[in-house]
PDB file of all heavy atoms in Angstrom:
ATOM      1  N   HIS A 120       8.877  70.958 -35.729  1.00 98.00           N
ATOM      2  CA  HIS A 120       7.720  71.845 -35.899  1.00 98.00           C
ATOM      3  C   HIS A 120       8.205  73.123 -36.570  1.00 98.00           C
ATOM      4  O   HIS A 120       9.390  73.236 -36.885  1.00 98.00           O
ATOM      5  CB  HIS A 120       7.014  72.110 -34.564  1.00 98.00           C
ATOM      6  CG  HIS A 120       7.843  72.776 -33.520  1.00 98.00           C
ATOM      7  ND1 HIS A 120       8.967  72.207 -32.971  1.00 98.00           N
ATOM      8  CD2 HIS A 120       7.722  73.985 -32.899  1.00 98.00           C
ATOM      9  CE1 HIS A 120       9.488  73.016 -32.059  1.00 98.00           C
ATOM     10  NE2 HIS A 120       8.755  74.100 -32.008  1.00 98.00           N
ATOM     11  N   HIS A 122       8.043  76.503 -35.650  1.00 97.00           N
ATOM     12  CA  HIS A 122       8.378  77.755 -34.963  1.00 97.00           C
ATOM     13  C   HIS A 122       9.717  78.291 -35.482  1.00 97.00           C
ATOM     14  O   HIS A 122      10.569  77.521 -35.952  1.00 97.00           O
ATOM     15  CB  HIS A 122       8.471  77.528 -33.447  1.00 97.00           C
ATOM     16  CG  HIS A 122       7.127  77.504 -32.765  1.00 97.00           C
ATOM     17  ND1 HIS A 122       6.925  76.877 -31.557  1.00 97.00           N
ATOM     18  CD2 HIS A 122       5.922  78.028 -33.121  1.00 97.00           C
ATOM     19  CE1 HIS A 122       5.642  77.015 -31.201  1.00 97.00           C
ATOM     20  NE2 HIS A 122       5.024  77.705 -32.124  1.00 97.00           N
ATOM     21  N   ASP A 124      12.458  79.298 -34.194  1.00 96.00           N
ATOM     22  CA  ASP A 124      13.758  78.829 -33.683  1.00 96.00           C
ATOM     23  C   ASP A 124      14.118  77.447 -34.224  1.00 96.00           C
ATOM     24  O   ASP A 124      15.205  76.931 -33.938  1.00 96.00           O
ATOM     25  CB  ASP A 124      13.780  78.842 -32.145  1.00 96.00           C
ATOM     26  CG  ASP A 124      12.650  78.062 -31.506  1.00 96.00           C
ATOM     27  OD1 ASP A 124      11.519  78.107 -32.026  1.00 96.00           O
ATOM     28  OD2 ASP A 124      12.892  77.411 -30.472  1.00 96.00           O
ATOM     29  N   HIS A 125      13.230  76.841 -35.010  1.00 97.00           N
ATOM     30  CA  HIS A 125      13.491  75.523 -35.598  1.00 97.00           C
ATOM     31  C   HIS A 125      13.556  75.603 -37.122  1.00 97.00           C
ATOM     32  O   HIS A 125      14.098  74.726 -37.777  1.00 97.00           O
ATOM     33  CB  HIS A 125      12.396  74.533 -35.168  1.00 97.00           C
ATOM     34  CG  HIS A 125      12.325  74.384 -33.677  1.00 97.00           C
ATOM     35  ND1 HIS A 125      12.796  73.275 -33.014  1.00 97.00           N
ATOM     36  CD2 HIS A 125      11.895  75.247 -32.705  1.00 97.00           C
ATOM     37  CE1 HIS A 125      12.643  73.450 -31.696  1.00 97.00           C
ATOM     38  NE2 HIS A 125      12.091  74.640 -31.494  1.00 97.00           N
ATOM     39  N   HIS A 202       2.519  71.107 -28.360  1.00 98.00           N
ATOM     40  CA  HIS A 202       3.339  72.328 -28.453  1.00 98.00           C
ATOM     41  C   HIS A 202       2.921  73.106 -29.699  1.00 98.00           C
ATOM     42  O   HIS A 202       2.766  74.323 -29.675  1.00 98.00           O
ATOM     43  CB  HIS A 202       4.821  71.966 -28.484  1.00 98.00           C
ATOM     44  CG  HIS A 202       5.713  73.165 -28.599  1.00 98.00           C
ATOM     45  ND1 HIS A 202       5.805  74.115 -27.601  1.00 98.00           N
ATOM     46  CD2 HIS A 202       6.515  73.591 -29.600  1.00 98.00           C
ATOM     47  CE1 HIS A 202       6.635  75.060 -27.996  1.00 98.00           C
ATOM     48  NE2 HIS A 202       7.077  74.776 -29.196  1.00 98.00           N
ATOM     49  N   ASP A 223      10.322  70.148 -28.754  1.00 98.00           N
ATOM     50  CA  ASP A 223       9.828  71.011 -27.676  1.00 98.00           C
ATOM     51  C   ASP A 223       8.696  70.362 -26.871  1.00 98.00           C
ATOM     52  O   ASP A 223       7.917  71.062 -26.216  1.00 98.00           O
ATOM     53  CB  ASP A 223       9.327  72.346 -28.249  1.00 98.00           C
ATOM     54  CG  ASP A 223      10.469  73.224 -28.745  1.00 98.00           C
ATOM     55  OD1 ASP A 223      11.597  72.708 -28.874  1.00 98.00           O
ATOM     56  OD2 ASP A 223      10.235  74.416 -29.025  1.00 98.00           O
ATOM     57  N   THR A 269      15.419  69.960 -27.549  1.00 98.00           N
ATOM     58  CA  THR A 269      15.926  71.219 -28.102  1.00 98.00           C
ATOM     59  C   THR A 269      16.391  72.173 -27.012  1.00 98.00           C
ATOM     60  O   THR A 269      17.477  72.745 -27.104  1.00 98.00           O
ATOM     61  CB  THR A 269      14.819  71.939 -28.908  1.00 98.00           C
ATOM     62  OG1 THR A 269      14.297  71.056 -29.878  1.00 98.00           O
ATOM     63  CG2 THR A 269      15.353  73.192 -29.580  1.00 98.00           C
ATOM     64  N   HIS A 270      15.561  72.365 -26.000  1.00 98.00           N
ATOM     65  CA  HIS A 270      15.795  73.524 -25.131  1.00 98.00           C
ATOM     66  C   HIS A 270      16.400  73.186 -23.767  1.00 98.00           C
ATOM     67  O   HIS A 270      16.477  74.067 -22.899  1.00 98.00           O
ATOM     68  CB  HIS A 270      14.493  74.317 -24.975  1.00 98.00           C
ATOM     69  CG  HIS A 270      14.027  74.932 -26.266  1.00 98.00           C
ATOM     70  ND1 HIS A 270      14.787  75.849 -26.960  1.00 98.00           N
ATOM     71  CD2 HIS A 270      12.899  74.747 -27.002  1.00 98.00           C
ATOM     72  CE1 HIS A 270      14.140  76.218 -28.063  1.00 98.00           C
ATOM     73  NE2 HIS A 270      12.988  75.551 -28.110  1.00 98.00           N
TER      74      HIS A 270
HETATM   75 ZN1   ZN B 303      11.668  75.736 -29.732  1.00 70.13          ZN
END
Side-chain angles (χ1 to χ4, degrees):
H120 61 297
H122 280 157
D124 55 322
H125 301 255
H202 179 66
D223 289 13
T269 306
H270 295 299

